[in-house]
Amino acid sequence: MFSKILIANRGEIACRVITTARKMGIKTVAVYSDADARAPFVAMADEAVHIGPSPAAESYLIADKIIAACKQTGAEAVHPGYGFLSERTSFAEALAKENIAFIGPPVNAIAAMGDKIESKKLAMQAGVNVVPGFVGEIDDTEHAVRISDEIGYPVMMKASAGGGGKGMRLAYSEADVREGFEAVKREGLSSFGDDRVFIEKFILNPRHIEIQILGDQHGNILYLNERECSIQRRHQKVVEEAPSPFVTPKMRKAMGEQCVALARAVGYYSAGTVELIVSGADPTGESFYFLEMNTRLQVEHPVTEAITGIDLVEQMIRVAYGEKLGMTQDDIGIDGWAIENRVYAEDPYRGFLPSTGRLVEYSPPLPGWTEDETVAGMARRGVARGNGSVRVDDGVYHGGEVSRFYDPMIAKLITWAPTRDEAADLQIEALDNFRIKGLGHNVDFLSAIMQHPRFRSGELTTGFIAEEYPEGFHGAATSDDLQRLLAAVCAGNEFTLQSRARRISGQLDGDDGSEGVKRVSSEWQVKLGNERFEVVLGDGHAMVDGVRVEGTCDWRPGMVQAEATGKVGDGAEMQLGMIVERTGNQWKVTTRGAAHTALVLPLRLARHEALMIEKLPPDLSRFLICPMPGMLVKLHVAAGETVQPGQPLATVEAMKMENILRAEKEGVIAKINAAEGESLAVDAVILELE
């Protein structure tokens, strides 16, 4: 076995590989850029080598620096993780020339599957179902329009070398093709160095199903069941699960065997994933089509590990060393259900805009990979299922920074349980105890998905988020009983806070030691959002608008995280994990996928609050404000030009994704404050209307 390997990646996947290598007794080498000098993966590795400035193009994407680090440290093999150089044939070839093993598939397989156009041709030859489309090179926008017209709308335009949701546009009309084709070319060129585009039919009610492949260098290839990855936003996966609630044993076998045939056609070994698009409108499951093959480890690999008990990183290392797989297809089973949620640095309350910056607070529901984790600790937690069937894969730390230079992922939260509903319930509980402060994050949104009736029913398509949140995300739906429980909690917290304050100031005691008259009221009005509740606190219970709420809350002054249990009337008992904050005279309680703001006043004073004049926010509609840190790629208008609502005004690139900013109202461009190519801060005024 290898004695030392180098991880040519960063963040959570670098931590993940180091964890398994340590379990196997293999020494590890990390490489890092300026931005990652204090990152957890650097501390976890046995050795670390600095390879350059923060931009990936000057560090993680330079193969020569990786190879130099291997020579410097004596690393015998390289695990590329995902992204960066993981699917670059030139990198694998360069390693081979230096007699350094590549922990991944053979070069010819990477080349064959890495080109979306060529891979579709190979899939057809291998007998795999493919989506109708145009697999040749497209000359220009006019050519793209003609092709799209022939295929029939809607169509999907994809960068040939694309991946990770980048370089993709859905077109429902000729106008969409004309607007999006050049953007796809630019994204493909900037992210992958290849501006070729192909166009294919968009499958209606599509489900995104993928098959995990694992092969060795001795001709053995297995499929490790499927993953459902249909819940996506802008073609970026958000929730993944294994198995799929849609796939039957017959479908699984048909899909798996076709994917193995494709892998065998290119002499594949190591871990890989074949992505399929499946028509949700066809309950037989026979309408499944090849999308692409990812010749690397997938971000969502933990859910497969959880239901099979197979450590995919360990298998990749063993296969790269030349070992045979220690299992057959008959050994691959499905034990329970696993769900993974991707915790991103993005603000769902502001249209999912990227949100970079410092993690002023970072406290996951249980520790992720840690610097001082021992092999015994790993055995206790288990690589596959974590601790208590909850697993956190992360690569960030309290006080660290989510950099604009890399992917916005903060962590992956994985839960396992015997059933799907139990796994989703575990997600909700864990997300309630995920504390992140300092930047926008999608924890509330993930919790809302886990609670959504449509998710629970398993009726998923890739349009789930767009269909269920057409007006954006404003917090998870809150039941009447939950609102009553929160009203009781907030009133109780206010009582606790005021009681403590009065004890400190001596207001509760008379001069002679007798009980004073300034006792804290037990009667409150709680303004929770737009609703008002009258709350009367009792011993172990509260009356909320006349409804009895029994329960307790362990919050005390100074605590940020708290737990509450409550039963409203004859309803079922609820258990809540809460983030509790107080700003000014208001409470902010975050739980069950929503942030609730509450103003709690003694009932005798509440009538005065209703008479207060509400302060209206200023009208900023005449400004085009940059909603996220990024670069101004293109200005679509000039000073003096009249614009209409919905008209593109500017394109800003953030996290390697182009975002088109449009006019909210009719007006004339009065002033332009930024130039193309300029870096913009969040809330920077790009232009002004009159």
Side-chain angles (χ1 to χ4, degrees):
M1 180 49 65
F2 302 118
S3 60
K4 183 185 292 186
I5 65 173
L6 181 145
I7 297 93
N9 216 298
R10 60 175 300 281
E12 61 88 13
I13 186 56
C15 295
R16 168 72 188 87
V17 176
I18 291 169
T19 301
T20 283
R22 185 181 296 175
K23 181 184 71 172
M24 298 174 69
I26 301 171
K27 298 290 185 181
T28 55
V29 179
V31 292
Y32 65 93
S33 69
D34 290 345
D36 286 332
R38 297 182 179 180
F41 76 92
V42 177
M44 283 180 67
D46 296 293
E47 299 174 67
V49 179
H50 177 251
I51 55 170
S54 300
E58 300 175 43
S59 51
Y60 296 106
L61 288 172
I62 299 182
D64 289 345
K65 291 186 176 182
I66 306 296
I67 292 171
C70 288
K71 292 180 177 179
Q72 176 185 330
T73 59
E76 304 159 90
V78 171
H79 195 300
Y82 39 71
F84 293 145
L85 297 171
S86 62
E87 295 179 283
R88 295 277 183 93
T89 54
S90 57
F91 179 54
E93 289 170 341
L95 289 173
K97 289 180 181 178
E98 300 295 338
N99 202 29
I100 300 169
F102 179 68
I103 303 176
V107 171
N108 65 294
I110 300 173
M113 295 293 102
D115 186 316
K116 286 185 171 61
I117 294 173
E118 293 304 315
S119 66
K120 286 194 71 172
K121 294 177 180 177
L122 282 168
M124 293 172 67
Q125 294 169 7
V128 180
N129 305 338
V130 298
V131 180
F134 184 83
V135 295
E137 291 191 34
I138 300 170
D139 302 327
D140 52 27
T141 300
E142 294 303 323
H143 190 194
V145 168
R146 292 197 302 273
I147 291 168
S148 301
D149 288 342
E150 291 172 4
I151 295 173
Y153 296 99
V155 298
M156 181 68 79
M157 299 177 288
K158 296 183 181 181
S160 181
K166 298 180 179 70
M168 300 173 70
R169 287 289 190 283
L170 179 59
Y172 286 94
S173 65
E174 177 181 328
D176 291 344
V177 176
R178 292 188 182 280
E179 183 178 288
F181 181 73
E182 290 299 328
V184 174
K185 287 175 68 72
R186 284 195 300 269
E187 286 183 8
L189 188 61
S190 64
S191 297
F192 311 104
D194 186 343
D195 68 352
R196 290 178 303 151
V197 175
F198 73 98
I199 299 176
E200 65 185 13
K201 180 72 175 176
F202 182 73
I203 305 299
L204 295 174
N205 301 321
R207 297 182 78 118
H208 187 124
I209 309 291
E210 57 188 33
I211 300 291
Q212 176 69 57
I213 293 295
L214 181 63
D216 62 24
Q217 298 186 48
H218 305 276
N220 301 304
I221 305 176
L222 313 176
Y223 63 92
L224 276 57
N225 307 311
E226 81 284 351
R227 296 184 287 258
E228 171 96 47
C229 307
S230 295
I231 298 184
Q232 306 175 4
R233 195 188 65 77
R234 293 188 68 173
H235 313 297
Q236 182 76 43
K237 297 167 189 172
V238 177
V239 181
E240 300 104 347
E241 59 182 306
S244 164
F246 181 72
V247 173
T248 64
K250 181 181 177 182
M251 291 166 60
R252 182 175 299 119
K253 185 174 188 293
M255 292 174 175
E257 289 177 352
Q258 282 199 20
C259 294
V260 166
L262 175 61
R264 197 173 300 283
V266 293
Y268 199 89
Y269 57 78
S270 192
T273 296
V274 181
E275 300 199 350
L276 306 168
I277 196 82
V278 184
S279 174
D282 180 5
T284 68
E286 295 177 359
S287 300
F288 65 87
Y289 305 98
F290 170 79
L291 274 181
E292 61 182 330
M293 184 173 189
N294 293 306
T295 55
R296 53 171 168 77
L297 194 66
Q298 291 279 93
V299 175
E300 57 272 22
H301 74 275
V303 293
T304 296
E305 294 182 327
I307 65 165
T308 62
I310 296 170
D311 183 334
L312 286 170
V313 173
E314 177 181 348
Q315 293 302 318
M316 291 180 74
I317 294 171
R318 293 191 181 282
V319 166
Y321 190 69
E323 294 185 10
K324 287 185 178 181
L325 293 177
M327 65 205 82
T328 67
Q329 190 65 57
D330 291 338
D331 298 322
I332 309 302
I334 298 177
D335 180 16
W337 212 286
I339 299 175
E340 174 180 298
N341 275 308
R342 300 190 188 189
V343 180
Y344 282 128
E346 62 183 15
D347 191 344
Y349 293 101
R350 298 184 65 198
F352 298 93
L353 295 173
S355 180
T356 58
R358 192 161 300 282
L359 289 162
V360 177
E361 296 281 349
Y362 177 70
S363 176
L366 56 82
W369 319 118
T370 56
E371 175 184 354
D372 59 352
E373 187 162 14
T374 63
V375 172
M378 284 186 292
R380 177 179 58 80
R381 279 182 39 226
V383 169
R385 292 181 183 168
N387 186 11
S389 298
V390 177
R391 167 177 163 182
V392 175
D393 288 19
D394 62 14
V396 300
Y397 62 99
H398 179 91
E401 185 177 3
V402 176
S403 171
R404 67 184 178 87
F405 296 105
Y406 313 118
D407 187 272
M409 185 185 291
I410 297 173
K412 301 185 309 197
L413 177 65
I414 304 101
T415 57
W416 175 91
T419 68
R420 186 171 184 265
D421 277 343
E422 289 174 298
D425 289 342
L426 274 176
Q427 281 282 342
I428 296 166
E429 180 182 335
L431 289 164
D432 274 350
N433 291 286
F434 218 126
R435 175 161 168 75
I436 301 171
K437 192 173 181 180
L439 43 73
H441 59 81
N442 67 339
V443 167
D444 286 357
F445 180 62
L446 298 174
S447 181
I449 292 175
M450 295 296 99
Q451 299 171 61
H452 200 290
R454 181 174 163 190
F455 173 79
R456 290 300 184 118
S457 73
E459 297 297 322
L460 312 179
T461 71
T462 56
F464 176 92
I465 291 175
E467 292 160 7
E468 299 302 325
Y469 302 96
E471 304 301 323
F473 179 71
H474 307 290
T478 305
S479 68
D480 292 342
D481 281 356
L482 180 55
Q483 282 193 312
R484 290 190 181 97
L485 177 56
L486 289 172
V489 165
C490 291
N493 288 355
E494 185 72 24
F495 180 91
T496 300
L497 186 68
Q498 291 198 20
S499 296
R500 179 176 180 271
R502 293 189 186 190
R503 287 192 185 94
I504 292 171
S505 64
Q507 294 181 58
L508 285 178
D509 296 324
D511 293 337
D512 60 354
S514 63
E515 187 176 300
V517 296
K518 295 183 179 180
R519 294 191 60 81
V520 179
S521 173
S522 62
E523 297 182 352
W524 304 88
Q525 183 189 84
V526 179
K527 183 182 179 183
L528 191 66
N530 295 322
E531 301 292 329
R532 286 179 168 82
F533 299 90
E534 286 191 11
V535 181
V536 180
L537 297 175
D539 186 12
H541 74 279
M543 298 299 293
V544 181
D545 285 348
V547 179
R548 187 180 179 89
V549 178
E550 296 181 353
T552 60
C553 177
D554 66 357
W555 182 86
R556 295 294 180 270
M559 291 174 61
V560 175
Q561 290 181 273
E563 294 184 356
T565 60
K567 181 180 179 182
V568 180
D570 296 328
E573 185 172 274
M574 290 182 278
Q575 293 187 333
L576 303 180
M578 304 180 297
I579 305 298
V580 181
E581 301 168 281
R582 187 173 171 86
T583 304
N585 65 343
Q586 292 193 325
W587 295 92
K588 181 181 178 183
V589 178
T590 305
T591 186
R592 294 292 176 97
H596 305 272
T597 301
L599 175 64
V600 184
L601 296 171
L603 195 58
R604 67 182 184 276
L605 301 178
R607 64 184 181 87
H608 299 296
E609 184 272 334
L611 302 175
M612 298 293 288
I613 299 174
E614 186 176 352
K615 184 178 179 181
L616 297 176
D619 181 12
L620 301 176
S621 62
R622 70 184 187 91
F623 300 107
L624 180 65
I625 298 173
C626 187
M628 79 290 278
M631 184 178 72
L632 182 58
V633 175
K634 187 174 180 60
L635 276 168
H636 300 279
V637 293
E641 187 175 335
T642 300
V643 297
Q644 301 297 322
Q647 182 176 337
L649 301 180
T651 299
V652 175
E653 182 187 275
M655 296 287 187
K656 297 185 178 180
M657 297 287 284
E658 290 190 359
N659 302 272
I660 299 175
L661 308 183
R662 302 176 186 273
E664 293 184 4
K665 65 179 185 179
E666 183 180 357
V668 178
I669 306 298
K671 183 180 179 182
I672 294 179
N673 301 317
E676 291 182 359
E678 184 177 337
S679 292
L680 302 173
V682 64
D683 293 333
V685 177
I686 300 173
L687 56 81
E688 301 175 27
L689 297 169
E690 63 180 18

